[in-house]
Amino acid sequence: MGITFFVFVILRPPIEYYRQYFAQWTGSKILYDIRKQLFAHIQKLSLRFYSNNKAGEVISRVIHDVEQTKAFVITGMMNLWLDLITIGIVIVIMLTMNVWLTVVAICLLPFYGFSVKYFYQRLRMLTRERSQALAEVQGHLHERVQGMPVIRSFALEDYEEERFDERNKKFLNKAIDHTVWNAKTFAVVNTITDIAPLLVIAVAAYFVINGQLTIGAMIAFVTYMDRLYNPLRRLVNSSTTLTQSIASMDRVFEFVDEKYDIEDTDDAVELHNVHGRITFEHVSFAYEEEQMNVLRNVSLDVKAGETIAIVGMSGGGKSSLISLIPRFYDVTDGRILLDGTDIRTYQVRSLRDKIGMVLQDNILFSESVKFNIKMGNPEATDEEVIEAAKAANAHEFIQELAEGYDTPVGERGVKLSGGQKQRIAIARVFLKNPPILIFDEATSSLDLESEALIQDALENLARTRTTFIVAHRLSTITHADRIVLIEHGEIKEIGTHGDLMGRRGHYYDLFQVQQLEV
């Protein structure tokens, strides 16, 4: 009794504490490592991946599916190995007591193993389907939360409620299918674990009646049966948890295995000094292999420090052309040279570090104005941030905000006007100070006052830098060194504004139409 008290009162509590602590600590640390790896993976995936997958579904894999993997670690560390060891020790003790009763006790174990294998294969599949249905709910919800102003403006609340209910009901049905199969699994497996003790009692009773076994030995053996099948019942519960965890792990690993469209070659070098000459040599491009080319045999030589305006009708390939420069996509045919070297020979991050972009819809993060400007250079001082804001004609309106540069801008900059968001985007490019600039429809959706301020900031930014301007309003690019007209993925005209107007071709017609509209 003294030894027993010592084991259970002195030894067991700290052992149990550290068993729980280290299992939870290990599970949480593994989740931390997986999420860290997944976030790095997310940042390397191409824009093609994000154009084909909903952000909410990606988030579901990183949050929900990763969380499910924690159960695999904790169950495996805390219960599985302990129960397996317990079963092994009990079987050895039972063999020393009575071999025939032990054979009867474990005769149903093969049926137990078969039923587990049969039921849990389908349970794993149903778990994956349920997780996918939940991911679809989260993806739909994420989109609708972002698009709430549209839903409100068109009074689509009832319609969208029905759309959400469709996905929610699909998840409910998948969850019920999972629950039904899970219940069948428990019913069958628990029945097997209940039959075995009954068989042992029946055979042991027969031995007692025939005088081959004492009642005390029978009671001791039946007691050990409880020690054998209680861990087995816990293993049933553990198997359910592990199966669900493995299904979630399958989805996580499937996501991790997603291939990168844009990767550095083994001999890629870091880009340091940039003069700014960019050459397109017979470039063709298609977004998907089976689709038609959106760019066809485009050749263009841009001198260092030159400002090139790219114009044309919507869908002509303007944005596609400039998205190839920072390697958001790679060319299908041909090549793009930077200072005479194929851009694919440079490390992607070092290439993009030398390019500044101002887009039509610039994304701002929900933090402060200062934080968003410092995205251009996280190491910049407050003084440098202010200088960049002044250069972008943003300093005055920022000072008028409630908390100045520390004012949160809301998700995607919702608290700011379109012109204010654009000027902050320009300020962060000023702070980055890159040798190559790309302006993609940077002023197309602004009022005249905002457009004038931004146009002035853009021209100030473009001095001495190689600059590409994609523009819809031709009046904003008449100052460009050369204007390139693209139609149906091909270059139709190149020249200065005066040259192209003198030719009276496609550019002239487009310019005249816009002047009439004004």
Side-chain angles (χ1 to χ4, degrees):
M1 288 302 295
I3 293 172
T4 303
F5 269 98
F6 177 77
V7 170
F8 284 94
V9 177
I10 305 300
L11 287 184
R12 182 172 178 174
I15 291 173
E16 187 66 22
Y17 168 81
Y18 283 108
R19 185 171 75 91
Q20 292 272 357
Y21 172 79
F22 282 117
Q24 294 285 347
W25 181 88
T26 304
S28 299
K29 186 67 170 62
I30 288 174
L31 258 62
Y32 166 82
D33 290 337
I34 293 174
R35 287 202 177 105
K36 183 179 179 181
Q37 181 184 344
L38 285 181
F39 187 74
H41 179 64
I42 284 169
Q43 296 190 97
K44 293 178 183 177
L45 290 171
S46 69
L47 296 184
R48 183 181 283 112
F49 172 83
Y50 291 107
S51 65
N52 295 327
N53 293 273
K54 291 182 179 180
E57 292 189 20
V58 174
I59 293 169
S60 176
R61 296 208 185 197
V62 177
I63 302 301
H64 174 261
D65 288 323
V66 171
E67 187 65 33
Q68 288 290 95
T69 64
K70 184 179 181 181
F72 179 85
V73 179
I74 294 175
T75 301
M77 291 189 67
M78 290 180 61
N79 300 329
L80 194 62
W81 66 270
L82 200 61
D83 288 335
L84 288 173
I85 291 173
T86 302
I87 290 170
I89 293 172
V90 168
I91 289 175
V92 170
I93 294 173
M94 289 167 68
L95 282 169
T96 62
M97 295 176 65
N98 190 298
V99 174
W100 285 108
L101 285 181
T102 304
V103 170
V104 173
I106 64 175
C107 69
L108 291 181
L109 287 183
F111 295 97
Y112 172 83
F114 173 78
S115 61
V116 166
K117 186 176 186 301
Y118 172 76
F119 281 102
Y120 286 103
Q121 278 184 331
R122 178 159 173 76
L123 189 64
R124 182 174 175 178
M125 183 190 71
L126 291 172
T127 301
R128 288 195 63 175
E129 290 178 357
R130 185 186 65 174
S131 296
Q132 179 59 33
L134 178 60
E136 289 174 10
V137 171
Q138 290 179 318
H140 184 82
L141 182 62
H142 184 267
E143 275 191 338
R144 267 45 188 185
V145 170
Q146 286 191 319
M148 196 56 68
V150 176
I151 295 172
R152 291 283 177 84
S153 63
F154 285 93
L156 294 172
E157 289 88 347
D158 292 339
Y159 173 74
E160 284 299 331
E161 195 170 321
E162 291 175 4
R163 293 281 303 272
F164 180 79
D165 189 57
E166 288 175 9
R167 286 161 177 79
N168 201 22
K169 193 170 290 181
K170 180 182 177 182
F171 170 66
L172 173 64
N173 292 335
K174 294 294 182 184
I176 290 174
D177 289 343
H178 178 273
T179 301
V180 168
W181 194 257
N182 201 26
K184 288 180 181 178
T185 304
F186 271 91
V188 172
V189 175
N190 282 334
T191 298
I192 292 172
T193 57
D194 287 340
I195 290 174
L198 295 177
L199 288 175
V200 170
I201 292 171
V203 173
Y206 175 78
F207 286 163
V208 169
I209 292 171
N210 290 331
Q212 296 172 269
L213 190 72
T214 65
I215 293 178
M218 174 184 171
I219 293 171
F221 200 90
V222 170
T223 303
Y224 272 106
M225 281 291 297
D226 191 51
R227 290 286 185 180
L228 174 64
Y229 277 91
N230 272 344
L232 275 178
R233 290 188 183 93
R234 284 199 299 272
L235 282 175
V236 173
N237 295 326
S238 298
S239 299
T240 304
T241 303
L242 289 174
T243 301
Q244 295 179 21
S245 299
I246 290 169
S248 293
M249 288 167 68
D250 287 341
R251 285 170 49 81
V252 172
F253 294 145
E254 182 182 70
F255 182 53
V256 170
D257 291 337
E258 189 72 42
K259 301 296 183 185
Y260 303 136
D261 287 343
I262 310 297
E263 284 192 284
D264 292 332
T265 58
D266 293 336
D267 57 349
V269 297
E270 189 172 354
L271 178 59
H272 293 291
N273 299 319
V274 175
H275 297 293
R277 181 180 180 182
I278 296 178
T279 307
F280 295 82
E281 289 187 351
H282 307 291
V283 168
S284 296
F285 172 67
Y287 284 99
E288 302 289 347
E289 289 183 6
E290 64 276 7
Q291 293 180 353
M292 292 179 59
N293 285 343
V294 294
L295 294 173
R296 302 179 186 85
N297 197 32
V298 173
S299 293
L300 177 66
D301 187 23
V302 181
K303 300 181 182 66
E306 191 175 14
T307 297
I308 298 292
I310 303 173
V311 301
M313 300 296 288
S314 295
K318 305 185 298 296
S319 295
S320 299
L321 182 66
I322 57 102
S323 69
L324 298 177
I325 301 172
R327 289 189 69 193
F328 291 153
Y329 304 93
D330 270 338
V331 297
T332 305
D333 289 304
R335 59 180 187 162
I336 300 174
L337 308 178
L338 174 57
D339 296 332
T341 303
D342 194 321
I343 60 173
R344 288 171 291 193
T345 64
Y346 295 120
Q347 294 174 4
V348 175
R349 287 183 62 182
S350 67
L351 172 67
R352 292 173 184 167
D353 188 51
K354 300 297 186 290
I355 300 172
M357 301 190 71
V358 181
L359 310 176
Q360 180 179 359
D361 182 23
N362 285 286
I363 295 175
L364 300 184
F365 297 96
S366 58
E367 281 93 345
S368 66
V369 172
K370 184 196 297 182
F371 174 89
N372 279 282
I373 295 177
K374 288 182 75 170
M375 293 292 288
N377 179 11
E379 305 300 323
T381 63
D382 289 351
E383 291 74 19
E384 289 172 329
V385 170
I386 293 171
E387 286 303 313
K390 287 179 178 177
N393 292 326
H395 180 66
E396 290 185 8
F397 90 79
I398 293 173
Q399 284 188 312
E400 294 173 0
L401 297 174
E403 299 175 53
Y405 281 84
D406 295 319
T407 304
V409 301
E411 188 172 8
R412 299 178 69 91
V414 69
K415 296 181 181 179
L416 302 177
S417 69
Q420 289 172 334
K421 286 197 291 185
Q422 289 294 74
R423 279 178 274 173
I424 289 177
I426 294 169
R428 67 186 176 194
V429 175
F430 265 111
L431 200 60
K432 185 177 184 180
N433 194 26
I436 300 169
L437 297 173
I438 296 174
F439 303 144
D440 189 2
E441 303 276 13
T443 63
S444 62
S445 59
L446 305 176
D447 58 81
L448 292 177
E449 183 180 355
S450 295
E451 183 180 11
L453 288 168
I454 289 171
Q455 194 66 35
D456 178 61
L458 291 178
E459 290 179 15
N460 185 23
L461 182 59
R463 289 194 189 102
T464 71
R465 293 177 171 89
T466 304
T467 305
F468 293 86
I469 304 173
V470 175
H472 176 69
R473 285 208 282 269
L474 303 185
S475 59
T476 62
I477 49 88
T478 55
H479 66 285
D481 297 317
R482 280 189 294 166
I483 298 170
V484 178
L485 178 73
I486 294 182
E487 287 185 358
H488 307 298
E490 298 177 344
I491 295 179
K492 298 296 184 182
E493 295 178 353
I494 301 178
T496 64
H497 173 71
D499 291 339
L500 296 179
M501 291 298 289
R503 294 181 199 174
R504 292 178 174 268
H506 294 280
Y507 177 82
Y508 174 85
D509 295 338
L510 198 58
F511 192 85
Q512 292 299 322
V513 168
Q514 289 196 4
Q515 292 300 104
L516 289 173
E517 288 176 353
V518 172

